Amino acid sequence: MVKNTLKVIVLVLVLAVLGSCENDEIQEPPPNIVLFLVDDMGWQDTSVPFWSERTAFNDRYHTPNMERLAKEGVKFTQAYATPVCSPTRVSLMTGMNAARHRVTNWTLKKDSLQPMETDHPQLEFPLWNVNGMSPVAGDSLAVHAMPLPQALHDIGYFTVHSGKAHLGAIGTPGENPLNLGFDVNIAGHAAGAPESYLGTENFGNGKEGRETWAVPGLENYYGKDIFLTEAITQEALKVVDSAVTHQQPFFLYMSHYAVHTPIMGDERFVQKYLEKGLDSTEAKYASLVEGMDKSLGDILNYLTDKNIEENTIVIFMSDNGGLSAHARGGEPNTHNKPLASGKGSMYEGGIREPMLVKWLNKTEPGTVSNEQIIIEDFYPSILKMAGIDSLETVQKVDGQSFVEILKDEPKYEGLRPLIWHYPNEWGVTGPGIGAASAVRQGDWKFIYFHADRRMELYNLKTDIGETKNLASEQPEKLLEMASILTTQLKAKRAQMPIDKSTGKPVEYPLEMLPNEKE
Ligand code: CA
């Protein structure tokens, strides 16, 4: 009996060794993936410094679970999104740059520009994809693409959407995450903000005239003393647990409504910020941040408790810069200092994001990467993490995988340019806010403002605050950057606004430089 048992053990061992020699990759089960996206969170709205120095903001906010994630994973110091919500979210779900997918502003109403886009004194805005993204071909004013969750669903992932969607206008297929490859949708719809964060207010449901903004679903929490951030986390983990029980790999898109307006206090955390001396609005904002961080901690704890930490990748990101032009306490446009401006702006305060990735046994814990990442890179990266090396998609994917960076392999040595294109009006004024295009390559950043054709050139290595415009001092660099941006915009068939005074499209930047005028 003992002898036979030994024989079986030896046979099993031999088969295991043979199996692993044949193909290492096949032996590994596909990893679970948690994509934790925060709304409107600034680069420094955290106790984790993403710069070479700690700032006063890093001391203001308390995010212990982000600290834990940074210790266990890779911290990216130069990760970028677009200046506002929908363009970022569509890039994330399609891998396309905003200039190409043309969902260049925030979406809400079907087939129509919003009022702030119809009464601009100088510019007539292009008919951008106001309906957002669509899983089917032929929808007007929408970008047709293979959505990221659909690709993951198709190879066997259980795909869960929890929180804010904001991917398609009201009454279009893209408004419902279930049409985009998610198996479950918790609380996501067309709107990009919640009417209320409070369970005691039914998250805004039942409030007359505010139906657009009331958070859908979550009826189980109506009337209860629970914050939205907490409710969507609890629901998400409940749903994920069914996949874990069946040993099915899962993709959890934990897409928080926080820390977007309305800035409402999370009672669990607000008092200590008042005691720190913050004004009422800023204390509430800090409590939104800490509530979000608590959600992150709950998810990390869940993974540990279920013993699936080793085979679960956790990615942390925000969708645009921290709000600073309005609705905040204190002086406007200062909430991201030393970065200039905030949400809506082409300056770093509008686009630079806190990004963390944890992948145990693949990444070195506590490392820092200064590689420049942009939001469309997430699509090919997450596919690669799931084992999809190449995928035939209807859309042209602009992003590049950052998986090699996680494994500490050299990447982007040729210093690829990163492109932003926002030929629109956000609806709020502030520094660097307004129709513009921009490019970053290496340490240099060039911004072209459409209304007055203003050009700005900065060296971010020496001037992260974009305080010294080098456009006139460095004409050769200006020409080089204008040329790169023009080439990139043309290649992506970027739409420019029409100048009302001439009736013609705003020129590409290269056409505005003296020697290059055609
Ligand atoms: Ca946002």
Side-chain angles (χ1 to χ4, degrees):
M1 180 66 191
V2 172
K3 209 175 167 187
N4 280 344
T5 309
L6 270 178
K7 262 187 193 168
V8 170
I9 290 172
V10 168
L11 182 65
V12 167
L13 282 174
V14 167
L15 283 175
V17 169
L18 281 176
S20 68
C21 289
E22 268 172 33
N23 194 333
D24 271 343
E25 300 293 320
I26 286 171
Q27 297 302 308
E28 276 182 28
N32 306 306
I33 301 166
V34 176
L35 174 55
F36 192 99
L37 186 75
V38 189
D39 196 6
D40 284 13
M41 180 186 176
W43 190 53
Q44 295 170 91
D45 296 346
T46 164
S47 44
V48 177
F50 282 80
W51 194 29
S52 50
E53 295 169 34
R54 265 193 96 76
T55 65
F57 292 119
N58 296 140
D59 292 334
R60 168 186 293 197
Y61 297 105
H62 186 51
T63 57
N65 295 296
M66 284 185 70
E67 290 177 36
R68 172 179 164 193
L69 191 59
K71 268 191 206 117
E72 294 173 343
V74 182
K75 174 168 81 174
F76 286 87
T77 62
Q78 304 194 85
Y80 289 100
T82 78
V84 295
C85 305
S86 305
T88 284
R89 288 158 191 269
V90 173
S91 289
L92 179 65
M93 291 295 166
T94 65
M96 304 163 84
N97 182 269
R100 193 188 300 281
H101 67 56
R102 296 185 174 183
V103 187
T104 45
N105 208 354
W106 59 281
T107 54
L108 186 65
K109 291 187 177 148
K110 189 179 176 182
D111 296 336
S112 55
L113 292 179
Q114 304 209 43
M116 76 277 180
E117 290 218 298
T118 56
D119 57 4
H120 194 277
Q122 293 139 292
L123 300 176
E124 186 185 320
F125 295 104
L127 205 49
W128 54 280
N129 278 332
V130 295
N131 292 338
M133 64 181 291
S134 177
V136 291
D139 272 358
S140 65
L141 299 178
V143 60
H144 174 217
M146 163 63 87
L148 176 66
Q150 187 67 55
L152 295 171
H153 167 91
D154 289 351
I155 58 162
Y157 272 81
F158 182 62
T159 51
V160 181
H161 179 285
S162 187
K164 165 169 162 171
H166 206 195
L167 294 161
I170 296 167
T172 68
E175 78 169 320
N176 185 351
L178 296 180
N179 293 331
L180 302 172
F182 283 106
D183 292 313
V184 176
N185 170 33
I186 300 160
H189 63 153
E195 176 60 25
S196 170
Y197 279 99
L198 304 179
T200 50
E201 294 181 356
N202 303 341
F203 310 110
N205 288 278
K207 211 166 159 186
E208 215 181 305
R210 303 299 295 170
E211 292 78 8
T212 298
W213 305 97
V215 180
L218 303 179
E219 286 83 358
N220 289 344
Y221 298 90
Y222 284 10
K224 292 190 179 158
D225 184 16
I226 189 166
F227 211 71
L228 177 58
T229 308
E230 179 74 22
I232 57 177
T233 306
Q234 287 185 14
E235 281 300 293
L237 289 179
K238 246 189 256 173
V239 169
V240 161
D241 204 48
S242 64
V244 172
T245 306
H246 295 100
Q247 295 189 315
Q248 184 181 5
F250 67 84
F251 171 61
L252 169 60
Y253 177 47
M254 188 69 234
S255 175
H256 276 291
Y257 279 97
V259 298
H260 197 288
T261 54
I263 298 173
M264 298 175 83
D266 187 330
E267 290 299 328
R268 299 171 295 176
F269 308 107
V270 75
Q271 187 58 31
K272 77 168 164 218
Y273 294 103
L274 289 168
E275 284 165 12
K276 265 187 172 183
L278 296 187
D279 68 41
S280 163
T281 305
E282 289 304 287
K284 286 176 187 166
Y285 184 81
S287 79
L288 277 175
V289 171
E290 190 163 347
M292 169 284 295
D293 184 79
K294 195 257 179 192
S295 161
L296 177 66
D298 290 346
I299 292 171
L300 295 176
N301 289 341
Y302 172 84
L303 300 176
T304 311
D305 292 348
K306 292 285 169 175
N307 204 19
I308 51 172
E309 192 183 15
E310 295 219 349
N311 195 37
T312 304
I313 302 165
V314 181
I315 309 168
F316 183 101
M317 186 62 174
S318 171
D319 75 335
N320 51 250
L323 184 66
S324 196
H326 70 137
R328 294 285 302 268
E331 196 186 332
N333 311 311
T334 62
H335 300 86
N336 299 293
K337 273 186 171 292
L339 305 187
S341 201
K343 178 179 181 179
S345 175
M346 275 298 176
Y347 293 134
E348 294 289 294
I351 56 177
R352 198 183 270 230
E353 310 303 335
M355 174 182 169
L356 300 164
V357 182
K358 172 188 168 185
W359 192 357
L360 289 183
N361 306 321
K362 300 273 184 182
T363 57
E364 197 65 38
T367 50
V368 177
S369 172
N370 298 318
E371 290 280 2
Q372 295 165 21
I373 305 290
I374 191 162
I375 190 69
E376 53 262 32
D377 294 340
F378 281 58
Y379 184 96
S381 305
I382 290 171
L383 291 182
K384 195 156 202 174
M385 288 167 177
I388 305 174
D389 278 327
S390 65
L391 180 71
E392 288 285 323
T393 53
V394 288
Q395 75 269 32
K396 163 122 179 60
V397 172
D398 292 301
Q400 294 182 31
S401 164
F402 55 73
V403 168
E404 294 76 9
I405 296 167
L406 295 172
K407 294 177 178 171
D408 207 20
E409 292 165 14
K411 186 79 176 160
Y412 310 142
E413 282 173 348
L415 288 179
R416 63 176 181 152
L418 305 183
I419 302 295
W420 294 266
H421 185 57
Y422 189 39
N424 305 82
E425 177 71 22
W426 178 38
V428 182
T429 53
I433 298 176
S437 307
V439 56
R440 174 162 189 193
Q441 188 173 51
D443 296 330
W444 292 91
K445 182 170 163 193
F446 169 77
I447 311 174
Y448 176 60
F449 292 94
H450 299 163
D452 59 2
R453 314 325 192 248
R454 193 168 82 252
M455 296 187 190
E456 298 184 4
L457 179 70
Y458 298 102
N459 184 326
L460 293 180
K461 190 168 191 179
T462 54
D463 181 20
I464 199 170
E466 294 162 288
T467 59
K468 191 167 167 32
N469 180 5
L470 300 170
S472 51
E473 270 178 46
Q474 300 257 10
E476 283 180 20
K477 185 52 85 175
L478 184 77
L479 183 66
E480 181 193 335
M481 297 297 281
S483 174
I484 295 168
L485 180 57
T486 300
T487 304
Q488 289 282 333
L489 292 176
K490 284 184 176 173
K492 294 175 172 63
R493 298 186 56 238
Q495 301 193 108
M496 299 299 281
I498 304 289
D499 188 324
K500 284 182 174 172
S501 68
T502 63
K504 291 181 180 162
V506 167
E507 304 82 356
Y508 287 116
L510 195 57
E511 294 160 10
M512 291 308 294
L513 288 171
N515 297 331
E516 302 296 324
K517 228 167 190 167
E518 285 164 286

